[in-house]
Amino acid sequence: MDLHIAVLAGDGIGGEVVGAGMRVLDAVAVKFGHVIHAEHADVGWAALDKCGQALPEQTRAVCNRNQAILFGAVGLPDRDKTLPLQERPERVALLELRKGLFANLRHIFLPRGLAPRCPLKDEYIAGGIDIMIIRELTGGLYYGQPQGISGQSPNRHAVDTMVYSEMEVRRILRVGFETARKRRRRLLSVDKANILATSQLWRENAIAMGREYPDVQLEHMYVDNASMQLIRRPAEMDVIVTENTFGDILSDEASMLAGSIGMVPSACLGDADSSGKGATPFYEPIHGSAPDIAGKNLANPAGTILTVAMMLRYTFGLQAEAHAIDAAVYAVLDEGRVLTGDLGGKSKCSEMTSAILDRLR
Ligand code: IPM
Ligand code: MG
């Protein structure tokens, strides 16, 4: 099979982790007889420095003509501060590329070998941790209008708008139910229906849709309680579906259950449009650009390598290939000999990648 992939490394550790991901992808391609066509393009500060735009037309074109985007990270906090909010790479590049991709799947999995890295006591994690967080990605506070600050200091006024249509709510809930059906058939729908109108709409639709899925055990929880239950009984959680901001926060919290935020892969998926294409699926580790360790070969490559597995699974339907990557990563982590600093080890990014490659061959 020919796989056409846009590769956007971006800023900070983006280049190192995406490089690691591509090494693994190339190895899988050789092993299973696929051909990778990778087109690299600049994004974030790398692009701003070259041509004054965080998401140049050229990069957009590369994204549009490929089947999937493998993305590292954008943004450098020290330099971001020099730009108005609207012009920062996170907004100009990341939020732009995610447009149309309403389903963000973030997989929280604790390999056995990383149990000592999980801050919870053994009794809480004995049942294993394997949670798929499905975050709505194109609605809510992130894009709702009006948004902004008006007036004169000290009497300024700021507004963000949380808005959801029933269509947006239903299509993400659908992803939640379908995903639960392929896993352990438990769906936790997270909202704030005691306060928010958007959440009331959410819950009504979740309950109604639940009748179509009698085989899926549906539970509802307010987001504050969910953030507590994630720590108290994570082993009972299977699929969590929630709106954009809640999902952003809960997924960072949950990442610690996987031992490190550097472990968590993600996929941003949409629907095909009338032309049959739609926005190009976007794959990224959930961690940021970590400028403090950039260029030092210290970053944990696992999040990006697992992201490559998600790309093979969801965009290309290559289950065996995806499974081979997951298994190689988890084998290295379980063995616990070659680990990066965030996992308590002393290995370099490239060494951990090589150890994973050795398991793949
Ligand atoms: C994430 C990040 C982004 C988000 C930021 C960088 C805009 O926190 O991917 O979780 O809030 O979606
Ligand atoms: Mg976040």
Side-chain angles (χ1 to χ4, degrees), residues 98-115:
R98 285 178 178 173
K99 275 194 179 154
L101 303 168
F102 61 86
N104 182 204
L105 278 55
R106 299 184 157 190
H107 188 208
I108 310 292
F109 180 77
L110 178 67
R112 269 175 296 117
L114 288 188

Side-chain angles (χ1 to χ4, degrees), residues 8 16 18 95 104 143 249 262 294 314 319:
L8 275 54
E16 294 153 74
V18 164
L95 294 198
N104 182 204
Y143 298 91
I249 298 168
Y314 293 111
Q319 307 299 337

Side-chain angles (χ1 to χ4, degrees), residues 43-54:
V43 72
W45 280 100
L48 267 165
D49 288 338
K50 274 196 199 162
C51 67
Q53 279 182 304

Side-chain angles (χ1 to χ4, degrees), residues 331-346:
V332 168
L333 295 166
D334 284 345
E335 194 190 40
R337 267 193 327 111
V338 188
L339 302 177
T340 45
D342 60 316
L343 302 176
K346 291 199 165 49

Side-chain angles (χ1 to χ4, degrees), residues 152-218:
Q152 293 298 319
S153 184
N155 295 310
R156 287 180 298 170
H157 183 92
V159 61
D160 293 291
T161 303
M162 191 187 254
V163 54
Y164 272 104
S165 70
E166 208 150 18
M167 180 278 287
E168 290 173 309
V169 168
R170 291 180 61 80
R171 69 183 177 181
I172 193 70
L173 286 168
R174 180 78 63 195
V175 175
F177 280 105
E178 290 294 327
T179 307
R181 203 168 241 183
K182 293 190 197 109
R183 289 171 45 99
R184 300 195 306 279
R185 295 174 185 262
R186 302 180 64 137
L187 181 63
L188 175 61
S189 170
V190 173
D191 60 37
K192 186 74 184 172
N194 49 345
I195 297 293
L196 301 176
T198 44
S199 283
Q200 284 163 18
L201 191 72
W202 181 282
R203 188 169 293 209
E204 274 176 29
N205 277 281
I207 292 169
M209 199 174 286
R211 294 188 199 107
E212 294 175 44
Y213 294 85
D215 52 320
V216 173
Q217 189 190 323
L218 172 66

